[in-house]
Amino acid sequence: MAERSTAAVDVADSDGEESLTAEAGKATADGAGTQQKAGTETEAAGNQDRGAAADVNPPELHSGHKLARRYRLEECVTRLDGFSSWRAVDEKLRRAVGVHVLPADHPRARPVLAAARSAALLGDPRFVQVLDAVEENDLVYVVHEWLPDATELTAVLASGPLEPHDAYQLVSQVSQAMAAAHREGLAHLRLNPGSVLRTESGQYRIRGLAVMAALRGISSEHPQRTDTESIGALLYAALTQRWPYDKDAHGLSGLPKGVGLIAPDQVRAGVHRGLSELAMRALVNDGATASRQDQPCTTPEELSKAVAAMPRIRPPEPVFTPSPAYQHTTYQQGYGQPPAHGGPSRTARPVAAPLPPPPPLQSRTGKALKWTVSALLIAALGLGSWQLADTLLKEENKPDPGKSTSQKDDDKPGQVASKPIQIQDAAEFAPDGKPQNADQAKLTHDGDTSTLWRTYGYNDGPQLAPYKKGVGIVYDLGSEQSLKGASIGLHYGGSYTEVSLYATDSLTPSGSGSDPVGSFKKLATKKTSSKSADLKVKSEAKARYVLVWLTALPYSPPEQYFTRPYKQAITEVKFTG
């Protein structure tokens, strides 16, 4: 069941059939005509396609059937409107995949092929990747990743609403991903809890970009607004465990009929106020906002910036279970003692009566022996005391290596201890106009080593050339600082990472050409195979803007969502002056 829910494209849902834009038009007071029109046109187009699809005989496929002598169909997940979705096995690469199959003469076959090929070119790891799109033997089929270890947001919300930090991560990651997709001209139009997956590491993946809408015959005059409103609905559901319309959908109860669209913090107690307002800004468009809300967000880019402007919501502190009370051992409790904590009593062991002391030495010889022994004991005690005092005096006069070294270092004239430099801002430096993950640059100086900025993966390495001259981030130190070094936390070790520091003239320097960093002042460079790099600036250097520039990335085994082997990620950067 876990695999079924993860691979299946949300094409069999009967709930949520009407587009979110049309539903929002019913819920808002202003702009309802425009949104209702868009929803009506979308529904009419879908109905027309469904009528044509009904005349198309779906291909007779069965478990065990092979496509391209490579993809073996295992289980039919969905069969609807003349097409079917399958869990399959790629026998060449020995991995599970998902496959959508429809006849080549299906009215949506061409749009599906075009959408799949466009989505495959995006190559963004935040989306479930399209692996193949083929027309062969009167069939059109689209092959995509299969993520058996991820969980649909539908299943996550079935157990209750998300914590504020998890809801913050959801809206942040999904809005950033959709903003990147729209910059490439791609829309989703079917974002809902069934099309968002959460991995075990807490990352969110979006499936069905462009393809899901093409399979359903959905279009929109305002695709950015539609996707933004869908993200708002996801956030609303994450905060309240309710669908923000008066219809039940995706396993969630809708709002009561007739109450309209009310803020999440009015639906459920304890909802984060900032996230509640953010959901309303995404859901309510065309200026129909409540008095306490800011301007509405009508594009994923605007929503992403609004999320970034919020105070960051940190994860809850871990709860530690106190250790059980300390129990005395049998030896410590002693025999015959009362038992601790009401434990079973112990029977005292019988002790033999002591032997009578020997008679004292009363003879003359005995008295002489006693005096002799006493004199020897006194002499031994005196000698021992003298040796002990001499040893202690010698130890006291010995110099302390650690103390003398530190005193000598501290006594050096003109030497000032290194101090941390506060980072004010950060921006990714992409001189070729193709950033890696620009929205993640700020995560490298937020004090949280669990967040990171990640490069893309590459097939060859460690040197980035000839793919790129390098990748990196420029940091703003607030004012010109005397820089002594930098400590850079890395996510991957192995082979080697090559990192350099450069002083630049701004947060967004204009490096270009064959050597994008040629006009910058080089401060330090280092190769490392560990998960950190400590760079020391040898000569006196002052700078306000410092570029951390990676020119070689280490090899690491392919991961579920990052399959190319040469990659790196920066977790935390610290500068000292």
Side-chain angles (χ1 to χ4, degrees):
M1 291 300 293
E3 292 183 345
R4 177 189 295 272
S5 64
T6 303
V9 171
D10 179 25
V11 294
D13 290 345
S14 59
D15 50 1
E17 188 72 28
E18 192 173 3
S19 69
L20 290 176
T21 306
E23 293 177 357
K26 296 176 182 178
T28 58
D30 298 337
T34 302
Q35 294 180 355
Q36 184 66 35
K37 179 181 178 182
T40 303
E41 291 177 355
T42 300
E43 185 178 3
N47 290 335
Q48 183 178 359
D49 282 349
R50 289 189 186 95
D55 299 332
V56 177
N57 292 323
E60 292 296 332
L61 301 175
H62 54 83
S63 298
H65 184 92
K66 285 188 182 180
L67 300 174
R69 297 182 180 179
R70 174 176 179 177
Y71 304 111
R72 186 180 74 248
L73 303 182
E74 293 286 325
E75 178 187 6
C76 183
V77 178
T78 301
R79 195 182 298 275
L80 182 70
D81 287 349
F83 68 88
S84 56
S85 299
W86 295 76
R87 175 175 60 85
V89 174
D90 182 349
E91 294 186 334
K92 182 176 181 181
L93 298 180
R94 297 181 180 179
R95 62 180 179 181
V97 293
V99 181
H100 308 305
V101 186
L102 65 166
D105 57 352
H106 194 288
R108 300 177 199 156
R110 299 299 168 192
V112 168
L113 273 178
R117 289 167 179 171
S118 298
L121 293 176
L122 182 61
D124 192 318
R126 293 171 291 195
F127 294 91
V128 174
Q129 299 295 300
V130 173
L131 305 175
D132 209 350
V134 180
E135 179 179 1
E136 181 184 58
N137 297 332
D138 299 327
L139 289 177
V140 167
Y141 56 90
V142 176
V143 183
H144 60 85
E145 283 183 294
W146 184 275
L147 310 177
D149 297 329
T151 307
E152 281 186 6
L153 187 59
T154 306
V156 176
L157 295 180
S159 60
L162 300 184
E163 293 291 334
H165 175 262
D166 292 334
Y168 173 85
Q169 290 295 328
L170 168 68
V171 67
S172 176
Q173 295 180 30
V174 174
S175 61
Q176 289 177 15
M178 289 310 305
H182 278 283
R183 284 195 291 268
E184 300 297 328
L186 294 172
H188 197 289
L189 305 183
R190 285 286 293 174
L191 270 174
N192 56 52
S195 58
V196 176
L197 311 174
R198 187 170 74 172
T199 67
E200 292 181 352
S201 63
Q203 300 296 313
Y204 289 92
R205 301 285 300 276
I206 302 171
R207 65 182 175 193
L209 178 67
V211 176
M212 187 179 291
L215 284 168
R216 299 300 296 265
I218 295 174
S219 62
S220 174
E221 291 183 354
H222 307 285
Q224 295 207 51
R225 180 186 301 174
T226 301
D227 283 343
T228 305
E229 190 174 352
S230 300
I231 300 172
L234 290 174
L235 177 58
Y236 195 105
L239 296 173
T240 65
Q241 203 185 11
R242 299 288 293 268
W243 195 237
Y245 305 104
D246 59 3
K247 292 182 179 179
D248 297 347
H250 312 293
L252 301 171
S253 299
L255 299 178
K257 294 183 182 296
V259 301
L261 184 58
I262 56 178
D265 57 0
Q266 297 177 5
V267 175
R268 175 176 166 267
V271 171
H272 188 278
R273 176 73 174 272
L275 292 175
S276 175
E277 295 185 359
L278 193 66
M280 294 297 288
R281 292 178 63 186
L283 276 170
V284 185
N285 288 317
D286 289 332
T289 60
S291 59
R292 74 177 188 179
Q293 268 87 51
D294 295 328
Q295 285 299 109
C297 300
T298 58
T299 68
E301 186 74 35
E302 291 178 0
L303 182 57
S304 174
K305 291 179 180 179
V307 175
M310 287 181 57
R312 188 170 180 273
I313 302 174
R314 295 191 176 276
E317 294 292 333
V319 178
F320 296 99
T321 304
S323 59
Y326 175 73
Q327 299 286 342
H328 288 281
T329 64
T330 303
Y331 173 78
Q332 291 168 326
Q333 290 178 344
Y335 293 101
Q337 300 287 336
H341 305 290
S345 61
R346 295 184 177 89
T347 304
R349 178 179 294 182
V351 181
L355 295 175
L361 297 176
Q362 299 294 337
S363 63
R364 182 179 298 178
T365 304
K367 292 181 180 179
L369 182 60
K370 286 194 294 183
W371 283 108
T372 303
V373 172
S374 299
L376 289 174
L377 287 175
I378 292 172
L381 288 173
L383 180 62
S385 300
W386 177 81
Q387 289 179 339
L388 178 62
D390 184 61
T391 303
L392 292 175
L393 288 174
K394 288 181 180 180
E395 291 293 329
E396 187 176 306
N397 293 329
K398 280 186 179 182
D400 188 348
K403 184 175 180 181
S404 61
T405 304
S406 61
Q407 286 177 343
K408 289 179 181 179
D409 292 341
D410 293 342
D411 293 340
K412 287 183 179 180
Q415 182 173 357
V416 180
S418 299
K419 61 179 182 179
I421 299 176
Q422 189 70 28
I423 298 175
Q424 303 298 324
D425 200 1
E428 184 174 324
F429 178 57
D432 59 356
K434 299 178 180 178
Q436 305 286 294
N437 284 289
D439 296 329
Q440 299 175 1
K442 62 183 179 181
L443 302 179
T444 62
H445 64 94
D446 60 354
D448 186 355
T449 56
S450 65
T451 59
L452 48 82
W453 167 85
R454 183 183 293 275
T455 71
Y456 286 164
Y458 299 90
N459 291 324
D460 296 317
Q463 289 294 327
L464 274 171
Y467 300 113
K468 283 180 174 288
K469 298 297 182 181
V471 295
I473 301 174
V474 178
Y475 294 91
D476 180 4
L477 307 183
S479 61
E480 191 173 68
Q481 304 280 346
S482 295
L483 194 64
K484 290 187 177 181
S487 176
I488 302 170
L490 303 172
H491 188 62
Y492 298 103
S495 60
Y496 70 89
T497 301
E498 186 170 11
V499 58
S500 302
L501 298 181
Y502 289 88
T504 69
D505 55 0
S506 71
L507 189 62
T508 56
S510 58
S512 61
S514 59
D515 187 7
V517 297
S519 60
F520 306 154
K521 180 181 179 182
K522 191 171 186 178
L523 305 177
T525 189
K526 185 172 185 177
K527 288 184 179 180
T528 180
S529 298
S530 66
K531 293 185 178 181
S532 64
D534 294 324
L535 290 88
K536 303 296 183 183
V537 179
K538 295 182 179 179
S539 59
E540 183 70 18
K542 290 188 176 183
R544 172 176 177 176
Y545 303 100
V546 181
L547 168 64
V548 175
W549 188 239
L550 302 176
T551 52
L553 309 180
Y555 173 87
S556 60
E559 302 171 57
Q560 184 175 8
Y561 310 124
F562 310 100
T563 56
R564 294 175 182 170
Y566 291 92
K567 50 189 178 291
Q568 187 54 278
I570 297 177
T571 58
E572 200 70 18
V573 173
K574 297 179 181 178
F575 294 101
T576 55

